Amino acid sequence: MNLKSQETREEEKLIRLLVKNEQFENKKIVAQKVNLSINELDLLLRQLQNKGYKFCFHPHLGFQLESIPDKLNIPLMKAGLDNKIIGRKIYIFKSVSSTNDILLNISESKCIEGTVAITERQNQGRGRLGKNWASPVGGIYLSILLKPHIDFKRITIFNLIGAISVANAINSLYEIPISIKWPNDVLLQGKKLAGVLSEIRTLSDNTNILVVGIGINVCVDTDQLPQEAISLKEYFKKRINLITVIWKVLNCFEHEYNLYKNEKAGQILKNWRQFSTILGQQIRITTENEIFEGYVSNIDLIDGGLIIRLDSGLEKKILSGYVEILK
Ligand code: BT5
């Protein structure tokens, strides 16, 4: 696949300026700020209107961005990011097998940390252990490429980072009761709203890249999803702009990733606790080969593993599994 990114600097600069500013803008001042003549600015504004941006014009005050299109595009995507790392390079697709596959198979010369692949839909979206991830149009399907110098055992912490980023983003945008089910589920009203899948690829120089894939049900009708799923559209009974959610998720992700890089795993855990309902609970956990029951006493700060006290009194750390809370 040809990974072509569309870079239109003036457009990006203008959108960034308008997205960040919620007041009316004087055309002359805006034109100066983006290094365009007034005529060029008018032309650009018309082009943006054709792409679905809506402006409000006032005879004295100037103009204001009223709403952004609900269509993924790179300048708009970049305009809402405050990041140094995440979203440094962005690829947008209409349809792919899986955004994780796109980044896991990207050529080594393009393995830039913070690269993000986003698609409108996936035809082979996947969860853990080969499970399917329903990916119809209207959802968010994105993957983030990282180079965090980790060993394979620490991968679970990136599921937590992904889940915290989604929970934080949605909570700060809409203040709705979001929770995280260890290790990678984001729940709304006890139903699955989002999931995270972290995978590793080893490069020819023996270093690893990590790909964190995030799927969120935003504007999806629930008849296109498994029974236990929910979407923001179903919850709010109206359309939600995907881009606003992606901006927030990627900005939150960078925040959590910086905590990880600065060895502040304790803070990540604190953020996770805000949304988690599992600590102190009696659970049953089904791993690939075994089933355990016990009391959740903690999360391992190094690898994100769940520490449970078994009924025998022994403590056990589990890195991945399906959790049920026992009443
Ligand atoms: C996950 O796996 O929750 C990880 C999902 C990661 C999806 C993203 S999308 C971008 C990137 N590209 C990919 O191909 N994947 C990542 P797991 O915990 O194993 O949950 C899978 C289970 O969730 C399935 O067996 C279904 O029961 C349920 N499920 C499937 N599609 C769903 C959806 N859209 N919403 C909620 N639940 C779903």
Side-chain angles (χ1 to χ4, degrees), residues 90-107:
I90 298 180
Y91 297 109
I92 291 177
F93 304 93
K94 274 201 151 328
S95 176
V96 295
S97 55
S98 146
T99 50
N100 269 31
D101 287 345
I102 294 290
L103 293 186
L104 286 168
N105 295 317
I106 198 169
S107 70

Side-chain angles (χ1 to χ4, degrees), residues 154-168 180-186 195-198 212-214 252-253 256-257 260 265 268-273 275-276 278 298-306 318-319:
R154 297 192 67 181
I155 197 165
T156 301
I157 195 126
F158 286 90
N159 286 331
L160 299 187
I161 288 177
I164 295 167
S165 309
V166 174
N168 235 331
I180 297 178
K181 185 173 160 207
W182 183 92
N184 66 332
D185 287 357
V186 178
V196 184
L197 175 71
S198 303
V212 182
I214 297 177
C252 289
F253 195 97
E256 297 300 318
Y257 187 46
Y260 173 86
I268 298 178
L269 190 56
K270 207 167 143 199
N271 296 343
W272 175 78
R273 277 202 170 126
F275 297 104
S276 172
I278 204 177
N298 214 343
I299 287 270
D300 189 309
L301 282 183
I302 305 292
D303 54 23
L306 196 64
I318 294 172
L319 288 170

Side-chain angles (χ1 to χ4, degrees), residues 24-32 38 41 60-63:
F24 275 94
E25 293 279 0
N26 179 295
K27 266 196 193 167
K28 208 167 148 194
I29 296 175
V30 172
Q32 273 170 1
I38 300 253
L41 176 64
H60 307 300
L61 297 174
F63 70 104

Side-chain angles (χ1 to χ4, degrees), residues 99 117-122 133-136 139-142 214-215 220:
T99 50
I118 312 174
T119 189
E120 287 179 19
R121 65 186 185 92
Q122 301 182 119
W133 184 257
S135 312
I140 291 176
Y141 314 103
L142 66 84
I214 297 177
V220 186

